[in-house]
Amino acid sequence: MSVEKVMSSLCYFSVFFAPFLFPIIVYFVVKDEEVSYHAKRSIVSHLLPFLTILLALVAVFMMEIGVVIILGFLMFSLLNVIVFVWNIVKGIQVLRW
């Protein structure tokens, strides 16, 4: 197993320990093209849950209908779980290739 694969995989697995910090550091420090590619993808996937939280907060302050807010939170929660699982799957895939 190469160091590049481990670094690329850790960018996805960093959702457990340093969602933004680790991939950003890897992106700027490591010069390998494949590692940079995976670092960029993991940064975007780590940004999605924070963007959905921001959208949910905006929805809470803009809407007064309780059911819409609850459905929105459920949709955002589902998206966050999907992104979390996707990061784990991608990390495992990178290690296996």
Side-chain angles (χ1 to χ4, degrees), residues 10-35:
L10 281 176
C11 286
Y12 293 109
F13 289 143
S14 70
V15 74
F16 291 112
F17 57 90
F20 296 110
L21 188 62
F22 187 77
I24 289 172
I25 291 171
V26 169
Y27 179 74
F28 287 113
V29 171
V30 178
K31 300 300 180 201
D32 185 55
E33 235 178 84
E34 183 179 344
V35 175

mmCIF file of all heavy atoms in Angstrom, residues 10-35:
data_model
loop_
_atom_site.group_PDB
_atom_site.id
_atom_site.type_symbol
_atom_site.label_atom_id
_atom_site.label_comp_id
_atom_site.label_asym_id
_atom_site.label_seq_id
_atom_site.Cartn_x
_atom_site.Cartn_y
_atom_site.Cartn_z
ATOM 1 N N LEU A 10 -7.159 8.989 4.014
ATOM 2 C CA LEU A 10 -7.279 9.754 5.256
ATOM 3 C C LEU A 10 -8.027 11.071 5.046
ATOM 4 O O LEU A 10 -8.664 11.580 5.970
ATOM 5 C CB LEU A 10 -5.910 10.014 5.862
ATOM 6 C CG LEU A 10 -5.300 8.848 6.635
ATOM 7 C CD1 LEU A 10 -3.895 9.203 7.097
ATOM 8 C CD2 LEU A 10 -6.160 8.468 7.813
ATOM 9 N N CYS A 11 -7.935 11.625 3.850
ATOM 10 C CA CYS A 11 -8.699 12.849 3.564
ATOM 11 C C CYS A 11 -10.194 12.589 3.719
ATOM 12 O O CYS A 11 -10.920 13.426 4.259
ATOM 13 C CB CYS A 11 -8.395 13.346 2.158
ATOM 14 S SG CYS A 11 -6.790 14.105 1.991
ATOM 15 N N TYR A 12 -10.656 11.426 3.245
ATOM 16 C CA TYR A 12 -12.067 11.082 3.404
ATOM 17 C C TYR A 12 -12.387 10.690 4.844
ATOM 18 O O TYR A 12 -13.411 11.070 5.384
ATOM 19 C CB TYR A 12 -12.456 9.939 2.466
ATOM 20 C CG TYR A 12 -12.404 10.325 1.013
ATOM 21 C CD1 TYR A 12 -11.418 9.816 0.167
ATOM 22 C CD2 TYR A 12 -13.341 11.192 0.471
ATOM 23 C CE1 TYR A 12 -11.371 10.166 -1.167
ATOM 24 C CE2 TYR A 12 -13.299 11.551 -0.866
ATOM 25 C CZ TYR A 12 -12.310 11.028 -1.671
ATOM 26 O OH TYR A 12 -12.271 11.377 -2.990
ATOM 27 N N PHE A 13 -11.497 9.908 5.467
ATOM 28 C CA PHE A 13 -11.727 9.466 6.840
ATOM 29 C C PHE A 13 -11.595 10.599 7.857
ATOM 30 O O PHE A 13 -11.992 10.450 9.007
ATOM 31 C CB PHE A 13 -10.777 8.337 7.221
ATOM 32 C CG PHE A 13 -11.072 7.028 6.533
ATOM 33 C CD1 PHE A 13 -10.047 6.210 6.123
ATOM 34 C CD2 PHE A 13 -12.375 6.622 6.306
ATOM 35 C CE1 PHE A 13 -10.306 5.006 5.495
ATOM 36 C CE2 PHE A 13 -12.653 5.420 5.678
ATOM 37 C CZ PHE A 13 -11.616 4.606 5.270
ATOM 38 N N SER A 14 -11.059 11.723 7.425
ATOM 39 C CA SER A 14 -10.903 12.845 8.353
ATOM 40 C C SER A 14 -12.244 13.411 8.793
ATOM 41 O O SER A 14 -12.295 14.261 9.672
ATOM 42 C CB SER A 14 -10.041 13.940 7.729
ATOM 43 O OG SER A 14 -10.732 14.582 6.683
ATOM 44 N N VAL A 15 -13.331 12.931 8.209
ATOM 45 C CA VAL A 15 -14.658 13.321 8.660
ATOM 46 C C VAL A 15 -14.831 12.930 10.131
ATOM 47 O O VAL A 15 -15.618 13.530 10.855
ATOM 48 C CB VAL A 15 -15.755 12.699 7.765
ATOM 49 C CG1 VAL A 15 -15.938 11.224 8.009
ATOM 50 C CG2 VAL A 15 -17.058 13.434 7.928
ATOM 51 N N PHE A 16 -14.039 11.975 10.607
ATOM 52 C CA PHE A 16 -14.095 11.547 12.004
ATOM 53 C C PHE A 16 -13.284 12.440 12.936
ATOM 54 O O PHE A 16 -13.616 12.583 14.103
ATOM 55 C CB PHE A 16 -13.563 10.115 12.154
ATOM 56 C CG PHE A 16 -14.456 9.083 11.549
ATOM 57 C CD1 PHE A 16 -14.049 8.380 10.426
ATOM 58 C CD2 PHE A 16 -15.690 8.805 12.086
ATOM 59 C CE1 PHE A 16 -14.853 7.422 9.859
ATOM 60 C CE2 PHE A 16 -16.511 7.848 11.527
ATOM 61 C CZ PHE A 16 -16.096 7.153 10.409
ATOM 62 N N PHE A 17 -12.173 13.016 12.425
ATOM 63 C CA PHE A 17 -11.278 13.708 13.362
ATOM 64 C C PHE A 17 -10.943 15.143 12.990
ATOM 65 O O PHE A 17 -10.668 15.939 13.885
ATOM 66 C CB PHE A 17 -9.974 12.912 13.569
ATOM 67 C CG PHE A 17 -9.206 12.618 12.315
ATOM 68 C CD1 PHE A 17 -8.246 13.500 11.867
ATOM 69 C CD2 PHE A 17 -9.438 11.463 11.599
ATOM 70 C CE1 PHE A 17 -7.536 13.237 10.717
ATOM 71 C CE2 PHE A 17 -8.731 11.183 10.453
ATOM 72 C CZ PHE A 17 -7.768 12.070 10.006
ATOM 73 N N ALA A 18 -10.904 15.534 11.753
ATOM 74 C CA ALA A 18 -10.594 16.916 11.366
ATOM 75 C C ALA A 18 -11.177 17.189 9.980
ATOM 76 O O ALA A 18 -10.446 17.236 8.990
ATOM 77 C CB ALA A 18 -9.092 17.149 11.374
ATOM 78 N N PRO A 19 -12.495 17.403 9.882
ATOM 79 C CA PRO A 19 -13.154 17.467 8.585
ATOM 80 C C PRO A 19 -12.577 18.473 7.585
ATOM 81 O O PRO A 19 -12.504 18.169 6.415
ATOM 82 C CB PRO A 19 -14.587 17.837 8.923
ATOM 83 C CG PRO A 19 -14.772 17.395 10.306
ATOM 84 C CD PRO A 19 -13.443 17.519 10.970
ATOM 85 N N PHE A 20 -12.189 19.631 8.017
ATOM 86 C CA PHE A 20 -11.656 20.606 7.066
ATOM 87 C C PHE A 20 -10.143 20.688 7.124
ATOM 88 O O PHE A 20 -9.481 20.796 6.102
ATOM 89 C CB PHE A 20 -12.217 22.009 7.342
ATOM 90 C CG PHE A 20 -13.676 22.092 7.139
ATOM 91 C CD1 PHE A 20 -14.524 22.255 8.213
ATOM 92 C CD2 PHE A 20 -14.215 22.000 5.876
ATOM 93 C CE1 PHE A 20 -15.883 22.323 8.033
ATOM 94 C CE2 PHE A 20 -15.572 22.068 5.680
ATOM 95 C CZ PHE A 20 -16.409 22.230 6.768
ATOM 96 N N LEU A 21 -9.638 20.658 8.288
ATOM 97 C CA LEU A 21 -8.221 20.927 8.507
ATOM 98 C C LEU A 21 -7.313 19.937 7.779
ATOM 99 O O LEU A 21 -6.406 20.351 7.047
ATOM 100 C CB LEU A 21 -7.924 20.919 10.013
ATOM 101 C CG LEU A 21 -6.533 21.367 10.421
ATOM 102 C CD1 LEU A 21 -6.307 22.808 9.990
ATOM 103 C CD2 LEU A 21 -6.375 21.236 11.925
ATOM 104 N N PHE A 22 -7.541 18.667 7.955
ATOM 105 C CA PHE A 22 -6.646 17.674 7.367
ATOM 106 C C PHE A 22 -6.639 17.716 5.828
ATOM 107 O O PHE A 22 -5.569 17.783 5.221
ATOM 108 C CB PHE A 22 -6.987 16.271 7.877
ATOM 109 C CG PHE A 22 -6.004 15.239 7.434
ATOM 110 C CD1 PHE A 22 -4.765 15.141 8.045
ATOM 111 C CD2 PHE A 22 -6.287 14.379 6.383
ATOM 112 C CE1 PHE A 22 -3.841 14.200 7.629
ATOM 113 C CE2 PHE A 22 -5.376 13.448 5.963
ATOM 114 C CZ PHE A 22 -4.147 13.347 6.588
ATOM 115 N N PRO A 23 -7.800 17.700 5.157
ATOM 116 C CA PRO A 23 -7.762 17.752 3.688
ATOM 117 C C PRO A 23 -7.146 19.043 3.136
ATOM 118 O O PRO A 23 -6.463 19.016 2.116
ATOM 119 C CB PRO A 23 -9.222 17.631 3.271
ATOM 120 C CG PRO A 23 -9.919 17.066 4.424
ATOM 121 C CD PRO A 23 -9.161 17.470 5.629
ATOM 122 N N ILE A 24 -7.368 20.153 3.814
ATOM 123 C CA ILE A 24 -6.787 21.416 3.345
ATOM 124 C C ILE A 24 -5.266 21.376 3.466
ATOM 125 O O ILE A 24 -4.549 21.784 2.542
ATOM 126 C CB ILE A 24 -7.380 22.615 4.116
ATOM 127 C CG1 ILE A 24 -8.829 22.827 3.681
ATOM 128 C CG2 ILE A 24 -6.571 23.878 3.883
ATOM 129 C CD1 ILE A 24 -9.580 23.846 4.488
ATOM 130 N N ILE A 25 -4.777 20.869 4.584
ATOM 131 C CA ILE A 25 -3.325 20.749 4.754
ATOM 132 C C ILE A 25 -2.744 19.817 3.708
ATOM 133 O O ILE A 25 -1.727 20.121 3.084
ATOM 134 C CB ILE A 25 -2.985 20.270 6.185
ATOM 135 C CG1 ILE A 25 -3.307 21.359 7.194
ATOM 136 C CG2 ILE A 25 -1.522 19.865 6.290
ATOM 137 C CD1 ILE A 25 -3.210 20.922 8.639
ATOM 138 N N VAL A 26 -3.405 18.686 3.501
ATOM 139 C CA VAL A 26 -2.921 17.722 2.494
ATOM 140 C C VAL A 26 -2.929 18.356 1.112
ATOM 141 O O VAL A 26 -1.980 18.190 0.342
ATOM 142 C CB VAL A 26 -3.773 16.433 2.522
ATOM 143 C CG1 VAL A 26 -3.480 15.550 1.324
ATOM 144 C CG2 VAL A 26 -3.538 15.677 3.818
ATOM 145 N N TYR A 27 -3.969 19.084 0.795
ATOM 146 C CA TYR A 27 -4.071 19.702 -0.529
ATOM 147 C C TYR A 27 -2.904 20.652 -0.800
ATOM 148 O O TYR A 27 -2.360 20.680 -1.901
ATOM 149 C CB TYR A 27 -5.403 20.446 -0.656
ATOM 150 C CG TYR A 27 -5.570 21.126 -1.987
ATOM 151 C CD1 TYR A 27 -5.840 20.386 -3.127
ATOM 152 C CD2 TYR A 27 -5.452 22.502 -2.103
ATOM 153 C CE1 TYR A 27 -5.982 21.004 -4.358
ATOM 154 C CE2 TYR A 27 -5.600 23.128 -3.329
ATOM 155 C CZ TYR A 27 -5.865 22.378 -4.441
ATOM 156 O OH TYR A 27 -6.002 22.992 -5.661
ATOM 157 N N PHE A 28 -2.518 21.440 0.201
ATOM 158 C CA PHE A 28 -1.455 22.414 -0.017
ATOM 159 C C PHE A 28 -0.054 21.854 0.186
ATOM 160 O O PHE A 28 0.905 22.389 -0.364
ATOM 161 C CB PHE A 28 -1.661 23.632 0.887
ATOM 162 C CG PHE A 28 -2.794 24.505 0.434
ATOM 163 C CD1 PHE A 28 -3.940 24.634 1.204
ATOM 164 C CD2 PHE A 28 -2.738 25.179 -0.771
ATOM 165 C CE1 PHE A 28 -4.993 25.440 0.796
ATOM 166 C CE2 PHE A 28 -3.779 25.981 -1.198
ATOM 167 C CZ PHE A 28 -4.915 26.112 -0.418
ATOM 168 N N VAL A 29 0.077 20.783 0.942
ATOM 169 C CA VAL A 29 1.413 20.263 1.247
ATOM 170 C C VAL A 29 1.848 19.178 0.263
ATOM 171 O O VAL A 29 2.974 19.190 -0.225
ATOM 172 C CB VAL A 29 1.469 19.730 2.700
ATOM 173 C CG1 VAL A 29 2.770 19.006 2.961
ATOM 174 C CG2 VAL A 29 1.273 20.872 3.677
ATOM 175 N N VAL A 30 0.956 18.253 -0.039
ATOM 176 C CA VAL A 30 1.311 17.115 -0.898
ATOM 177 C C VAL A 30 1.235 17.547 -2.357
ATOM 178 O O VAL A 30 0.265 18.158 -2.784
ATOM 179 C CB VAL A 30 0.375 15.918 -0.624
ATOM 180 C CG1 VAL A 30 0.697 14.768 -1.541
ATOM 181 C CG2 VAL A 30 0.469 15.500 0.828
ATOM 182 N N LYS A 31 2.249 17.206 -3.107
ATOM 183 C CA LYS A 31 2.328 17.628 -4.513
ATOM 184 C C LYS A 31 1.790 16.599 -5.496
ATOM 185 O O LYS A 31 1.709 16.866 -6.682
ATOM 186 C CB LYS A 31 3.788 17.949 -4.884
ATOM 187 C CG LYS A 31 4.384 19.064 -4.049
ATOM 188 C CD LYS A 31 3.620 20.348 -4.210
ATOM 189 C CE LYS A 31 4.249 21.437 -3.362
ATOM 190 N NZ LYS A 31 3.328 22.510 -3.080
ATOM 191 N N ASP A 32 1.424 15.426 -5.028
ATOM 192 C CA ASP A 32 0.909 14.379 -5.905
ATOM 193 C C ASP A 32 -0.481 14.768 -6.423
ATOM 194 O O ASP A 32 -1.343 15.218 -5.662
ATOM 195 C CB ASP A 32 0.833 13.055 -5.139
ATOM 196 C CG ASP A 32 0.419 11.901 -6.032
ATOM 197 O OD1 ASP A 32 1.086 11.681 -7.049
ATOM 198 O OD2 ASP A 32 -0.587 11.241 -5.706
ATOM 199 N N GLU A 33 -0.695 14.590 -7.722
ATOM 200 C CA GLU A 33 -1.939 15.006 -8.361
ATOM 201 C C GLU A 33 -3.143 14.217 -7.862
ATOM 202 O O GLU A 33 -4.215 14.772 -7.615
ATOM 203 C CB GLU A 33 -1.826 14.832 -9.886
ATOM 204 C CG GLU A 33 -2.117 16.093 -10.646
ATOM 205 C CD GLU A 33 -1.941 15.863 -12.120
ATOM 206 O OE1 GLU A 33 -2.894 15.371 -12.735
ATOM 207 O OE2 GLU A 33 -0.862 16.182 -12.639
ATOM 208 N N GLU A 34 -2.975 12.919 -7.704
ATOM 209 C CA GLU A 34 -4.083 12.073 -7.252
ATOM 210 C C GLU A 34 -4.483 12.410 -5.816
ATOM 211 O O GLU A 34 -5.671 12.483 -5.493
ATOM 212 C CB GLU A 34 -3.705 10.597 -7.346
ATOM 213 C CG GLU A 34 -4.831 9.678 -6.966
ATOM 214 C CD GLU A 34 -4.463 8.217 -7.081
ATOM 215 O OE1 GLU A 34 -3.457 7.894 -7.720
ATOM 216 O OE2 GLU A 34 -5.198 7.407 -6.510
ATOM 217 N N VAL A 35 -3.516 12.640 -4.966
ATOM 218 C CA VAL A 35 -3.808 12.997 -3.574
ATOM 219 C C VAL A 35 -4.522 14.352 -3.523
ATOM 220 O O VAL A 35 -5.489 14.530 -2.777
ATOM 221 C CB VAL A 35 -2.521 13.008 -2.720
ATOM 222 C CG1 VAL A 35 -2.802 13.483 -1.314
ATOM 223 C CG2 VAL A 35 -1.890 11.628 -2.701
#
